[in-house]
Amino acid sequence: MSNPSSDFPHWIQQQLGRVEQALSDWVGRDAPHALGEAMRYAVLDGGKRLRPLLVLAACEATDGLQSAALRAACSVELIHAYSLVHDDMPCMDNDVLRRGKPTVHVAYGEASALLAGDALQALAFELLTPDASEEDIPSAMQATLCRLLARAAGSHGMAGGQAIDLASVGVALTRPELQRMHALKTGALLQASVVMGAACSNASSATHTALQQYGAAIGLAFQVVDDILDVTADSQTLGKTAGKDAANDKPTYVSLLGLDASRAYARQLHEEAVQALQASGLERTDTLRALADLVIERAF
């Protein structure tokens, strides 16, 4: 693995500041008070913000439109946040801890949690379609970003993967079946983050293909690392309930491959991501490389 540039921590701090300010400005301000409060609780003051960082890094690497990328970054994070709110509810994973604090349905009740998730999902697409008085973002770019996000969030992506996950409790999945589940449930939105950042530019089709491959490798690596951390880290470190997958008899890479083999697979996926960047034809990929390192280093 590489040593991230000395500028990388500064870049992260700067971009996180942009994202946090934009989310604070855009989330729940005009909603009815109780709903807005639950929406802001679900989104603000927590989370790694990996998906927004991937959007912004891909946009920078391809010399894209920064104003569009910031909206895309926040939109991806809103979809991610809504999915966590719904996944944590009693009808799904029934979890009580997220990002180091009580889950939304614990703090605000199930009905408010359901509505907050619904509203966050709708807001994600509203942010991607500003009128000319807000941002000068080409309509074709807006449409492309909406399609990419919708596909990654729906039955061909996150929601489809979650459906497979719910149907797989107590089931011994094969490795290809497990990989497909996670490629949809977790990987699709991470991959979309990279592709949406590139979609804010006029990057070549070859560059887009390489970045899709990078995003696919990072998306799957993130889930492998999550499975590793579920059995090696405690709840305080994770910010969510540790050991939940094993307790619920869910198939994971660790349960299928074992801990050492899962770590080896994470390293392999990291290498695939690096190779994709090398094939992208882009000159400035240091930030994307450093983000790939961060994904993997959580498990080692």
Side-chain angles (χ1 to χ4, degrees):
M1 297 178 194
S2 67
N3 292 319
S5 163
S6 60
D7 293 335
F8 183 57
H10 173 71
W11 180 88
I12 283 189
Q13 184 178 19
Q14 183 181 50
Q15 302 308 320
L16 287 178
R18 292 177 65 207
V19 170
E20 295 304 318
Q21 185 60 58
L23 288 171
S24 181
D25 290 343
W26 285 331
V27 175
R29 289 293 193 187
D30 299 325
H33 177 73
L35 176 60
E37 189 175 293
M39 292 169 66
R40 292 174 69 80
Y41 181 89
V43 175
L44 303 179
D45 303 322
K48 294 175 285 293
R49 308 297 193 218
L50 175 62
R51 292 157 190 81
L53 292 174
L54 286 169
V55 175
L56 296 172
C59 177
E60 283 189 7
T62 55
D63 293 318
L65 182 62
Q66 290 288 325
S67 58
L70 181 60
R71 285 179 172 270
C74 291
S75 295
V76 171
E77 188 66 12
L78 293 182
I79 292 292
H80 176 55
Y82 117 73
S83 75
L84 298 181
V85 173
H86 284 189
D87 287 357
D88 288 337
M89 292 181 65
C91 62
M92 301 280 269
D93 288 348
N94 194 23
D95 218 333
V96 297
L97 186 68
R98 174 71 66 178
R99 293 175 172 174
K101 59 186 183 182
T103 49
V104 178
H105 75 270
V106 171
Y108 292 92
E110 291 182 40
S112 291
L114 184 65
L115 289 174
D118 291 344
L120 291 172
Q121 180 180 201
L123 179 59
F125 293 98
E126 182 181 345
L127 291 184
L128 290 176
T129 53
D131 60 37
S133 66
E134 295 178 279
E135 299 277 3
D136 186 17
I137 299 173
S139 57
M141 184 180 292
Q142 293 182 28
T144 296
L145 291 171
C146 283
R147 184 180 188 281
L148 289 169
L149 186 57
R151 187 168 182 86
S155 61
H156 296 286
M158 183 181 68
Q162 179 68 6
I164 297 172
D165 186 36
L166 290 171
S168 300
V169 174
V171 177
L173 297 183
T174 65
R175 184 167 177 172
E177 289 171 337
L178 183 65
Q179 185 157 325
R180 177 173 181 265
M181 180 180 81
H182 286 315
L184 297 178
K185 180 184 175 184
T186 304
L189 199 57
L190 285 160
Q191 183 184 43
S193 300
V194 179
V195 177
M196 287 173 71
C200 296
S201 73
N202 294 314
S204 69
S205 59
T207 294
H208 273 282
T209 297
L211 290 178
Q212 284 177 334
Q213 293 168 347
Y214 164 87
I218 289 304
L220 192 52
F222 184 90
Q223 184 60 56
V224 175
V225 170
D226 241 27
D227 287 354
I228 293 169
L229 291 175
D230 191 62
V231 299
T232 61
D234 58 28
S235 297
Q236 183 174 0
T237 301
L238 292 176
K240 59 183 180 180
T241 306
K244 189 80 174 178
D245 291 337
N248 289 340
D249 199 18
K250 285 192 172 186
T252 69
Y253 279 98
V254 175
S255 67
L256 182 66
L257 304 179
L259 186 57
D260 290 343
S262 295
R263 284 177 167 151
Y265 187 40
R267 292 190 186 97
Q268 176 189 326
L269 290 165
H270 175 271
E271 182 57 31
E272 290 177 11
V274 171
Q275 290 174 358
L277 290 179
Q278 293 170 346
S280 68
L282 298 171
E283 295 182 0
R284 297 183 298 162
T285 60
D286 286 353
T287 304
L288 287 168
R289 169 67 187 264
L291 287 170
D293 293 349
L294 281 185
V295 168
I296 301 303
E297 287 165 359
R298 296 185 305 144
F300 297 94

